[in-house]
Amino acid sequence: MNFNLNFNDIAENYLFAEVADRVAKYTKTHPDKKIIKLGIGDVTLPLVPSVIKALHEGVEDMSKSQTFKGYGPYEGYDFLRENILAYYNKMGVNLALDEIFVSDGAKSDLGNILDIFSKDNVVLVPDPVYPVYVDTNIMAGRKIIFANATEKNGFLPMPDYKVHADIIYICSPNNPTGACYNKTQLKEWVDYANKNNAVILYDAAYECFVSDGSLARSIFQIEGAETCAIEFCSFSKMAGFTGTRCGYTVVPKKLVKDGFSANKTWLRRQATKFNGVPYIVQKGASAVFTEEGMKEIKQNLAYYMENAKTIAECMDELGIWYTGGKNSPYIWLKCPKGMGSWQFFDYLLENAQVVGTPGAGFGKNGEGYFRLTAFGSKEATKEAVERIKKLLK
Ligand code: PLP
């Protein structure tokens, strides 16, 4: 027996462990200080009433032989997929039901999709980035090249025709930078992918935070994307499902190469390795799309976006350069006074007792930057902002 030695090449992710360690040390020596955590990338508001009601109904269904459900369809129940289809329709995107695959979250499918692609593909990943894209490809032994996201390009790298890539990751609105591509920029990526016979793996986990109507919420709002893109979505941030687990992946039928269909292959892969998302969870997710459910989740999203605004306004007032905060729950700021990411982390912890996430943890271009998130409580966010203003003014 031999292990997959590619695992040796994955960098140990010390980021959140190191953050926790530094906070614990500080708390030990300063037990009287109240720490505010704005580093959290997880939601904090509970599931909305419509979802809870639907989850209860799902449980009830499982208690009676007439409504009991055993193994469900690999690709998800139609009642949920039809709602997703209608959601896309409202964005002006026409999908077929069999292009939608219900998943247990975007992270799983972002990793699992790689099963359908050959090992010798060259992978293009932005830097800084959500670490899953890099690590899943290292596990599979693929060659990774990076697209530099920097202050100069607003942390939105554009295609370079001198560089050939087969698999391209785009996350918009982005984690960690909060930056969001406009439709013209996305069209450039779509054109590049179609010309290069490449595929775009489009992570739309934060699409629900896009409020600017001129921006895309789905890559399929861009002409030509159906022949070159796969989209990953999630109920995690949209409806607080980080612990409940549900998402969906759109694999268009027009994504075909040499007669090989991505859609058919993905279904085949799922049928072999996946037995579906729990019926009860799909019932809950389905309620997100009811009139009442949508109204309720929009209130939660507005709560987070108000926090994002509070943080962004603070940066404006202090004259600190940042991306995000407008169509994203993340604010990615340039550390003041030329400080490094970890230096600023310590400075903020020691002098304002505010915790964020050092940008250096997301890639080399993250050095000198810092991520704050809008997922805290309104009161804590306001207090954190006051402390930051007092410290940095
Ligand atoms: N994609 C991005 C960019 C994320 O930031 C996250 C979670 O933080 C995910 C995907 C994972 O989403 P899910 O909870 O649906 O697995």
Side-chain angles (χ1 to χ4, degrees):
M1 169 280 246
N2 291 312
F3 281 111
N4 176 356
L5 297 184
N6 292 326
F7 276 76
N8 279 332
D9 300 328
I10 300 171
E12 211 46 71
N13 196 342
Y14 295 117
L15 179 62
F16 291 101
E18 180 65 24
V19 166
D21 196 45
R22 290 192 193 204
V23 173
K25 276 192 188 129
Y26 181 81
T27 312
K28 213 169 170 187
T29 48
H30 302 81
D32 53 319
K33 299 278 191 194
K34 187 181 150 218
I35 289 178
I36 301 178
K37 292 183 180 164
L38 293 190
I40 180 169
D42 197 353
V43 292
T44 49
L45 294 173
L47 295 175
V48 298
S50 297
V51 169
I52 293 294
K53 183 166 165 274
L55 289 170
H56 281 298
E57 284 165 11
V59 171
E60 276 305 306
D61 288 348
M62 296 302 260
S63 73
K64 300 180 210 99
S65 54
Q66 304 93 305
T67 47
F68 168 78
K69 300 281 185 299
Y71 289 123
Y74 310 116
E75 61 274 37
Y77 284 100
D78 280 359
F79 64 78
L80 175 55
R81 295 160 82 218
E82 273 159 11
N83 283 353
I84 296 168
L85 191 86
Y87 182 66
Y88 271 82
N89 249 313
K90 280 194 197 133
M91 289 185 226
V93 177
N94 291 314
L95 300 175
L97 209 59
D98 55 2
E99 292 177 309
I100 300 167
F101 296 81
V102 176
S103 72
D104 63 353
K107 189 184 198 174
S108 320
D109 272 11
L110 279 160
N112 294 336
I113 197 75
L114 294 175
D115 275 2
I116 73 167
F117 298 109
S118 151
K119 192 184 146 190
D120 55 18
N121 285 302
V122 174
V123 182
L124 182 68
V125 179
D127 172 357
V129 79
Y130 177 55
V132 170
Y133 314 149
V134 173
D135 292 353
T136 49
N137 279 291
I138 292 178
M139 283 176 198
R142 279 197 194 85
K143 183 176 175 220
I144 301 172
I145 52 175
F146 290 93
N148 286 316
T150 60
E151 183 176 344
K152 209 168 148 205
N153 58 29
F155 284 91
L156 295 167
M158 295 306 296
D160 175 357
Y161 278 85
K162 293 191 290 300
V163 176
H164 175 81
D166 304 301
I167 299 176
I168 300 156
Y169 284 86
I170 296 180
C171 176
S172 182
N174 190 275
N175 177 17
T177 70
C180 197
Y181 282 107
N182 65 34
K183 285 184 178 168
T184 313
Q185 292 168 321
L186 287 176
K187 176 75 176 127
E188 280 192 45
W189 276 113
V190 165
D191 289 346
Y192 171 91
N194 278 322
K195 278 184 194 137
N196 276 275
N197 242 320
V199 64
I200 293 173
L201 302 182
Y202 192 80
D203 186 342
Y206 296 94
E207 63 80 19
C208 55
F209 291 98
V210 174
S211 55
D212 178 342
S214 75
L215 297 173
R217 302 213 341 247
S218 160
I219 189 72
F220 299 116
Q221 288 173 300
I222 309 300
E223 196 197 332
E226 65 282 3
T227 53
C228 70
I230 296 176
E231 180 157 289
F232 302 85
C233 295
S234 174
F235 293 98
S236 282
K237 307 295 155 84
M238 182 197 202
F241 271 58
T242 52
T244 309
R245 309 304 305 147
C246 197
Y248 52 94
T249 299
V250 179
V251 189
K253 284 189 277 195
K254 285 190 184 160
L255 181 51
V256 175
K257 192 188 173 198
D258 302 331
F260 205 86
S261 153
N263 181 283
K264 270 194 193 148
T265 314
W266 179 241
L267 178 61
R268 188 69 189 85
R269 186 269 173 213
Q270 291 296 77
T272 304
K273 292 196 185 178
F274 187 58
N275 254 340
V277 175
Y279 168 73
I280 297 165
V281 171
Q282 293 192 58
K283 280 285 283 187
S286 189
V288 166
F289 299 104
T290 60
E291 200 179 316
E292 198 56 28
M294 224 2 114
K295 215 163 88 191
E296 290 164 357
I297 66 156
K298 280 193 173 153
Q299 273 170 12
N300 284 5
L301 293 171
Y303 178 92
Y304 294 135
M305 286 319 287
E306 194 56 36
N307 287 343
K309 193 164 162 236
T310 302
I311 302 171
E313 280 173 357
C314 164
M315 297 304 136
D316 287 335
E317 206 177 312
L318 293 168
I320 291 176
W321 189 92
Y322 67 97
T323 50
K326 291 191 179 73
N327 295 285
S328 156
Y330 296 121
I331 291 92
W332 177 256
L333 60 109
K334 189 172 182 177
C335 300
K337 299 177 189 141
M339 276 190 255
S341 292
W342 281 106
Q343 195 187 359
F344 185 59
F345 175 90
D346 289 334
Y347 181 72
L348 214 52
L349 174 62
E350 282 159 24
N351 299 290
Q353 291 76 47
V354 173
V355 176
T357 312
F362 298 99
K364 77 169 172 39
N365 291 327
E367 179 53 271
Y369 294 85
F370 200 74
R371 191 190 77 174
L372 294 174
T373 85
F375 291 121
S377 76
K378 182 174 162 184
E379 296 71 29
T381 305
K382 284 209 157 127
E383 193 179 333
V385 156
E386 287 315 311
R387 291 186 197 176
I388 292 172
K389 274 189 205 164
K390 211 167 137 199
L391 178 67
L392 298 177
K393 235 177 191 160

